[in-house]
Amino acid sequence: MTREEFAVFQHKLKNADDNGLNLDAIVKEYEHRNVYFYNDGCIKKILASEKNLLLTTDLLNAALNLVGSDRIENPKLVNPYIPGELGYRSVEPDLLLTNDRGESIPRDRISIDVQHENNDSLFNDRLVLYVARLTSSMEKAGKFTRLENLHVVSFQFFDAFKGSPNYRHKVQLRNQEQRVYFERQTVTLIEVNKFLKQKEKFEGDNSRIAQWLRAIDTLNREADFSEFAADPVFKVLQNEVKLCNFSARYMRTAIMKDFDDARIAYNKAREIAKMLLEQGKLSVAEISAVTKLSEKEISEL
């Protein structure tokens, strides 16, 4: 499901819960659909599960563009998804992992977060706060220790660097000569919307992170996945996003509730699509391109 479709589904669950209806029956109705991957609760259950560490490792190495001996090979989940526990929302990253590289090399600490909104441009402040908190947590009280490698990865749906031709940005402390001051700390920003909206521009990009973004988008749109089906990692991903893997109880936890803004945007898109249909100046395909609704949804208005 797209974020908007997933928001409608969540709202349906909320209404049913508020009225004492059978939530499992609603989940059963949607069991063959895909969840929206970038939802906080969905990405937590999928990527913070011990059984999916190979999946998570592949995504991290792709996002950080790590190859050869620099790759993350021995990750351990700091805040894993635990079946049966409801979890909670906090200011901490959606996922946090560590990676040992041997006694003489500082350990890696890696976080993954997803940001859909940039209300009042506060995200930059929040991101700096995340980095500071993760850094300060490495220090033991009363003892100065060598800091670990810190990699903060943020998948975001707004531009960090407008006008930049890149969708992946590696941010580090540098001086006026662009020399890296502290190489063991990186912030990687992946502009998902920029990549998806400029498909033609990035068509020749066959990097692993580009493959991941295309695979996730295909699953979110529930489109033909045959292009990715032969890849063992994406085959696992295809199975993990099935809604049948998510219980109604988990769907109603606080970590899942990000649907208000998405539902408002979805309803507005439907209103615009309906108005354009009534005007009769654009085809269904053209209205779909404008509103981001599927042609089927538009035809049913």
Side-chain angles (χ1 to χ4, degrees):
M1 288 181 262
T2 63
R3 187 186 182 208
E4 293 72 25
E5 291 172 329
F6 193 60
V8 171
F9 162 72
Q10 285 182 293
H11 193 64
K12 188 175 181 179
L13 271 183
K14 180 181 183 302
N15 286 339
D17 198 12
D18 291 343
N19 291 285
L21 302 179
N22 188 343
L23 301 186
D24 291 328
I26 297 175
V27 172
K28 180 71 175 177
E29 178 186 343
Y30 284 80
E31 66 177 350
H32 297 300
R33 301 289 303 275
N34 294 341
V35 298
Y36 175 62
F37 177 83
Y38 292 111
N39 170 276
D40 285 355
C42 295
I43 202 171
K44 173 80 172 181
K45 183 179 183 301
I46 294 169
L47 296 183
S49 295
E50 293 287 350
K51 67 185 181 71
N52 288 335
L53 266 181
L54 287 177
L55 190 72
T56 309
T57 304
D58 192 271
L59 175 59
L60 283 174
N61 284 316
L64 295 171
N65 195 29
L66 298 179
V67 297
S69 60
D70 290 333
R71 287 175 57 84
I72 294 164
E73 300 288 357
N74 305 295
K76 293 182 180 179
L77 292 163
V78 176
N79 58 344
Y81 163 77
I82 302 174
E85 291 194 4
L86 296 183
Y88 57 93
R89 179 180 291 276
S90 72
V91 296
E92 301 306 323
D94 295 336
L95 281 86
L96 186 60
L97 305 95
T98 60
N99 178 62
D100 289 321
R101 294 185 178 272
E103 293 183 5
S104 61
I105 304 175
R107 184 177 67 167
D108 296 307
R109 186 171 298 206
I110 315 111
S111 77
I112 302 178
D113 205 4
V114 175
Q115 293 292 331
H116 284 96
E117 317 297 339
N118 190 24
N119 298 329
D120 300 320
S121 300
L122 286 176
F123 177 69
N124 290 4
D125 291 356
R126 292 177 61 196
L127 184 60
V128 171
L129 178 62
Y130 286 156
V131 173
R133 283 181 170 172
L134 288 169
T135 302
S136 64
S137 68
M138 300 176 191
E139 181 69 13
K140 297 179 180 179
K143 182 179 181 182
F144 181 80
T145 56
R146 187 181 184 189
L147 296 180
E148 299 170 342
N149 299 314
L150 176 63
H151 301 292
V152 175
V153 180
S154 177
F155 291 88
Q156 58 186 54
F157 288 78
F158 48 87
D159 290 350
F161 297 94
K162 293 182 178 178
S164 169
N166 301 307
Y167 63 89
R168 178 186 173 277
H169 305 274
K170 180 179 179 180
V171 181
Q172 289 181 286
L173 289 172
R174 295 173 182 269
N175 73 351
Q176 68 273 20
E177 298 167 356
Q178 294 304 302
R179 294 186 179 183
V180 176
Y181 178 73
F182 188 65
E183 64 180 8
R184 284 182 282 123
Q185 187 177 89
T186 67
V187 175
T188 299
L189 305 176
I190 298 174
E191 299 169 323
V192 181
N193 273 355
K194 181 185 286 186
F195 180 84
L196 297 178
K197 288 180 178 179
Q198 301 181 40
K199 290 182 179 180
E200 296 80 10
K201 177 180 177 180
F202 300 116
E203 188 175 6
D205 185 347
N206 292 314
S207 64
R208 189 59 174 171
I209 190 58
Q211 294 173 17
W212 263 95
L213 294 178
R214 293 186 188 108
I216 293 170
D217 179 56
T218 301
L219 290 170
N220 282 341
R221 292 184 293 107
E222 297 177 312
D224 181 8
F225 200 69
S226 58
E227 175 186 353
F228 307 96
D231 187 307
V233 171
F234 294 145
K235 190 66 178 176
V236 172
L237 179 65
Q238 182 184 28
N239 178 68
E240 292 300 312
V241 299
K242 294 298 181 185
L243 195 139
C244 60
N245 296 320
F246 293 74
S247 68
R249 185 166 175 257
Y250 185 68
M251 284 291 179
R252 291 297 298 133
T253 59
I255 196 172
M256 299 294 292
K257 298 176 184 177
D258 72 343
F259 59 79
D260 286 341
D261 290 336
R263 184 165 56 86
I264 291 170
Y266 178 75
N267 290 337
K268 186 176 293 185
R270 284 172 58 87
E271 291 174 5
I272 294 173
K274 189 173 181 179
M275 178 188 68
L276 293 174
L277 276 175
E278 291 172 350
Q279 291 177 352
K281 295 180 180 179
L282 298 177
S283 67
V284 171
E286 290 171 327
I287 296 174
S288 175
V290 171
T291 63
K292 306 305 178 185
L293 297 176
S294 69
E295 293 185 22
K296 180 181 178 182
E297 286 175 300
I298 296 169
S299 298
E300 293 175 350
L301 290 175

